[in-house]
């Protein structure tokens, strides 16, 4: 891993107060008590300060690459070495490791093979679609892939369509996370992941007729669902429960309730209950929709050695993929990337092998910082852990790396896009809007945020804050207050300059 000389000096010297990965209390001139507004928000949520870890550190000046500079002092440090569950903030480790090990231009190459003779548009044999672990093989891209197959001369398959997903070696999750099997975040990774294994139900009310039009996508062979529902004048509160949906029979979806007209157009993404049959049913329906014909079935299998490559369809580049992973906190895409870290070495991607590769990467580049504990690389886990200090080291390294722009572009701009877009609705006057680039995390007992903040003084900071407590969600305003305090820094001394002055004395 390559860092600038400035960041290498940070890793060698360590942040002030750090020795062999352990923090000691910084000097009295640095803010170590939580800002008053943060403490107040914690009290209101009945969360003790001991449930919060915070580290806010200035980024090195722009001229740091011209030679070693003193490591900047933290502006605020509160339990930075406490190992906590950061929830989806763990995606920062996966995405930056991906940029470092694979490169921002990395693509996943989906391949289609023929196992038989093609004559006059007819394949006498099987068509094999071999997945690459592509994290975003969505409806539009699958349509394009199948159109390419037809354009390449295969319009009829007198055999089977074989789906080869052997690039990964994973199993469907035996128990859904937090007992929510139909939530899209519970979808398991797959070597041939099609449209996130989800069905999107779309509801369009027509007040004049008193009916609601119902559509779903992508098409699935054999799936039957109502095309209309009665409209209601009920409030648009918990509209999904008002539908009285029944997904217990995967091929026969039922809505026994009604849909509130005042909700307008809405969409409901649902993880397909029979995950193993999702890809075959989608592939069959999409192949027929593309004008293809099939005499056999769509099934899982392996590409035989005799098969010939028909075409190759690359994915979106990694720099674009991580924008979905971080801005919108896409769990299954993060897990696809995590598994790719090991599949790119030549063997099927496995979680344990990816953990080992990321562990080696961390030890080589972040010596002296506590190693993160990763499970599946997405943060959708009760086992994943990191310290605020380690996340800060990663953020500072990413900022100093050749991939700084690609990494920063993947973060949600506060109040503008991604998971922080609603900040503008909660507080239209917040000084944080447009001045922070963040990854958020949220589990039942976790609230977290990490990223870059632009202070009103012109100084930029890395900020990491992690709450682990049963009332973590109620204490999220404390994280908003931390962000505001960081932005409002006009009267705060430049910590890096203060440190340099202290060293000269």
């Amino acid at each position: 891993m390559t860092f600038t000389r400035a960041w290498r000096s940070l890793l060698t010297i360590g942040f002030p107060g750090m020795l062999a990965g352990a923090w000691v209390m910084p000097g009295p001139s640095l803010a170590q008590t939580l800002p008053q507004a943060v403490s107040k928000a914690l009290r209101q949520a009945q969360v003790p300060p001991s449930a919060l870890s915070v580290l806010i550190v200035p980024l090195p000046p722009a001229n740091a690459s011209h030679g070693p500079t003193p490591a900047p002092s933290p502006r605020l440090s509160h339990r930075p070495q406490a190992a906590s569950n950061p929830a989806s903030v763990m995606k920062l480790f996966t995405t930056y490791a991906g940029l470092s090990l694979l490169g921002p231009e990395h693509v996943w190459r989906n391949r289609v093979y023929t196992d038989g003779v093609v004559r006059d548009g007819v394949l006498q044999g099987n068509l094999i679609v071999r997945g690459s672990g592509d994290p975003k093989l969505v409806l539009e891209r699958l349509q394009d892939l199948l159109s390419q197959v037809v354009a390449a001369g295969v319009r009829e398959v007198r055999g089977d369509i074989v789906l080869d997903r052997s690039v990964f070696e994973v199993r469907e999750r035996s128990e859904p996370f937090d007992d929510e099997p139909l939530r899209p975040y519970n979808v398991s990774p797959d070597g041939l992941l099609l449209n996130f294994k989800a069905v999107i139900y779309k509801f369009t009310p027509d007040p004049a007729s008193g009916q609601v039009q119902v559509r779903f996508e992508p098409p699935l062979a054999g799936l039957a669902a109502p095309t209309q529902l009665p409209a209601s004048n009920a409030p648009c509160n918990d509209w999904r429960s008002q539908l009285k949906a029944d997904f217990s029979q995967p091929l026969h979806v039922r809505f026994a309730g009604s849909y509130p007209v005042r909700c307008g157009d809405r969409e409901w993404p649902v993880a397909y209950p029979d995950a193993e049959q999702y890809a075959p049913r989608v592939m069959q329906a999409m192949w027929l929709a593309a004008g293809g014909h099939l005499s056999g079935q769509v099934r899982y299998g392996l590409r035989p050695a005799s098969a010939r490559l028909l075409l190759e369809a690359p994915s979106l580049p990694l720099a674009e993929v991580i924008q979905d992973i971080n801005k919108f906190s896409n769990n299954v895409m993060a897990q696809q990337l995590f598994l790719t870290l090991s599949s790119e070495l030549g063997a099927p991607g496995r979680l344990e092998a990816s953990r080992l590769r990321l562990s080696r990467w961390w030890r080589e580049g972040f010596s002296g910082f506590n190693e993160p504990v990763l499970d599946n690389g997405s943060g959708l886990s009760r086992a994943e852990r990191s310290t605020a200090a380690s996340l800060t080291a990663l953020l500072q390294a990413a900022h100093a790396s050749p991939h700084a722009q690609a990494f920063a572009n993947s973060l949600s701009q506060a109040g503008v896009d991604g998971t922080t877009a609603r900040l503008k609705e909660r507080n239209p006057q917040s000084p944080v809007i447009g001045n922070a680039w963040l990854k958020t995390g949220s589990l039942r007992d976790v609230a977290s945020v990490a990223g870059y903040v632009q202070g009103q003084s012109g100084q930029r900071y890395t900020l990491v804050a992690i709450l682990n407590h049963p009332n973590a969600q109620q204490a999220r305003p404390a994280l908003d207050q931390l962000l505001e305090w960081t932005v409002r820094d006009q009267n705060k001394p430049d910590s890096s300059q203060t440190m340099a002055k202290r060293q000269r004395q």
Side-chain angles (χ1 to χ4, degrees):
M1 178 175 186
T2 302
F3 297 120
T4 64
R5 285 174 292 172
W7 182 245
R8 283 197 180 278
S9 71
L10 281 176
L11 290 180
T12 303
I13 300 169
F15 291 124
M18 177 182 290
L19 181 61
W23 282 80
V24 296
M25 288 301 292
S29 63
L30 298 176
Q32 297 309 311
T33 57
L34 294 174
Q36 188 175 10
V38 176
S39 297
K40 181 181 178 181
L42 290 175
R43 285 195 303 272
Q44 289 175 337
Q46 299 183 330
V47 173
S50 59
L52 176 66
S53 299
V54 181
L55 187 56
I56 302 173
V57 180
L59 284 165
N63 63 354
S65 60
H66 297 308
T69 60
S73 299
R75 182 174 165 204
L76 178 62
S77 175
H78 176 75
R79 303 180 69 247
Q81 290 289 0
S84 306
N85 186 341
S88 282
V89 166
M90 290 297 287
K91 292 179 174 71
L92 296 179
F93 291 108
T94 300
T95 51
Y96 184 54
L99 287 172
S100 301
L101 295 169
L102 306 176
E105 301 303 320
H106 172 84
V107 294
W108 290 259
R109 300 188 181 279
N110 306 296
R111 295 181 172 95
V112 179
Y113 297 84
T114 56
D115 188 24
V117 177
V118 179
R119 185 176 292 112
D120 297 327
V122 178
L123 168 60
Q124 299 288 349
N126 297 331
L127 185 76
I128 298 100
V129 181
R130 189 171 195 276
S132 61
D134 186 342
K136 199 176 181 181
L137 190 51
V138 292
L139 179 61
E140 297 80 7
R141 294 188 57 240
L142 181 57
Q143 286 176 327
D144 182 64
L145 173 65
L146 295 178
S147 295
Q148 289 183 54
V149 172
V150 173
V154 178
R155 296 185 300 277
E156 180 178 351
V157 178
R158 293 184 182 172
D160 296 337
I161 295 180
V162 179
L163 309 181
D164 184 342
R165 52 182 180 171
S166 60
V167 68
F168 291 162
E169 192 172 285
V170 291
R171 296 178 180 176
E172 288 289 333
R173 191 176 287 111
S174 58
E175 294 184 2
F177 193 81
D178 284 349
D179 298 320
E180 294 283 358
L182 299 182
R183 294 290 182 93
Y185 64 67
N186 262 315
V187 167
S188 296
D190 199 302
L192 183 59
L193 180 71
L194 300 184
N195 214 59
F196 309 130
K197 300 183 190 177
V199 181
I200 301 175
Y201 295 92
K202 300 183 177 184
F203 303 91
T204 306
D206 181 6
S209 66
Q211 296 291 309
V212 177
Q213 302 299 316
V214 183
R215 295 171 293 126
F216 68 86
E217 67 176 34
L220 279 84
L223 175 61
T227 58
Q228 284 189 329
L229 286 175
S232 77
N233 293 318
C236 190
N237 298 325
D238 196 15
W239 60 272
R240 294 177 180 178
S241 65
Q242 296 181 52
L243 292 170
K244 297 181 181 179
D246 181 359
F247 300 106
S248 60
Q249 299 182 59
L251 292 178
H252 299 281
V253 175
R254 291 179 292 177
F255 298 112
S258 58
Y259 180 85
V261 172
R262 64 188 67 186
C263 287
D265 293 357
R266 293 290 178 102
E267 295 184 353
W268 185 5
V270 177
Y272 188 64
D274 188 359
E276 280 293 294
Q277 285 303 307
Y278 181 86
R281 293 190 180 280
V282 169
M283 186 64 72
Q284 181 177 339
M286 296 285 286
W287 173 245
L288 298 178
H293 298 274
L294 177 65
S295 62
Q297 61 180 324
V298 182
R299 60 179 175 82
Y300 292 112
L302 299 176
R303 174 180 65 89
S306 59
R308 295 183 178 182
L309 181 65
L310 178 70
L311 62 88
E312 183 177 272
S315 72
L316 298 172
L318 177 61
E320 291 187 37
V321 166
I322 65 170
Q323 292 188 28
D324 281 328
I325 293 175
N326 286 337
K327 279 185 187 291
F328 302 101
S329 207
N330 191 302
N331 289 299
V332 70
M333 289 181 71
Q335 293 172 51
Q336 296 284 118
L337 173 56
F338 189 69
L339 286 162
T340 299
L341 296 180
S342 56
S343 70
E344 282 295 308
L345 298 178
R350 300 180 180 89
L351 290 176
E352 180 58 32
S354 291
R355 292 183 202 119
L356 290 173
R357 190 177 188 196
L358 196 143
S359 176
R360 289 194 298 270
W361 170 79
W362 182 266
R363 292 196 304 269
E364 291 170 2
F366 296 87
S367 175
F369 294 91
N370 291 333
E371 185 175 329
V373 177
L374 287 109
D375 179 7
N376 56 43
S378 72
L380 192 69
S381 168
R382 298 292 174 195
E384 296 194 328
R385 293 288 185 275
S386 178
T387 66
S390 292
L391 278 160
T392 297
L394 179 121
L395 288 166
Q396 294 259 344
H399 181 264
S401 81
H403 311 306
Q405 196 61 54
F407 185 74
N409 287 346
S410 76
L411 303 177
S412 168
Q413 188 174 10
V416 177
D417 60 16
T419 58
T420 67
R422 296 185 67 182
L423 172 64
K424 197 168 186 177
E425 297 176 19
R426 298 198 308 269
N427 185 2
Q429 305 304 318
S430 172
V432 181
I433 294 172
N435 289 312
W437 297 263
L438 306 168
K439 178 74 198 78
T440 59
S442 181
L443 289 176
R444 185 174 52 207
D445 48 5
V446 179
S448 58
V449 64
Y452 304 107
V453 179
Q454 175 73 49
Q456 292 173 339
S457 69
Q459 173 67 55
R460 286 201 173 199
Y461 303 88
T462 54
L463 176 147
V464 179
I466 307 169
L467 273 164
N468 281 189
H469 190 272
N471 293 347
Q473 295 308 316
Q474 293 90 321
R476 193 168 281 281
L479 304 186
D480 291 343
Q481 290 296 333
L482 268 174
L483 287 164
E484 290 197 19
W485 180 83
T486 307
V487 171
R488 292 189 172 113
D489 69 342
Q490 295 121 313
N491 299 321
K492 301 294 179 183
D494 183 321
S495 298
S496 59
Q497 293 177 3
T498 302
M499 182 62 188
K501 182 177 179 182
R502 188 183 302 144
Q503 288 186 341
R504 287 195 298 271
Q505 293 174 344

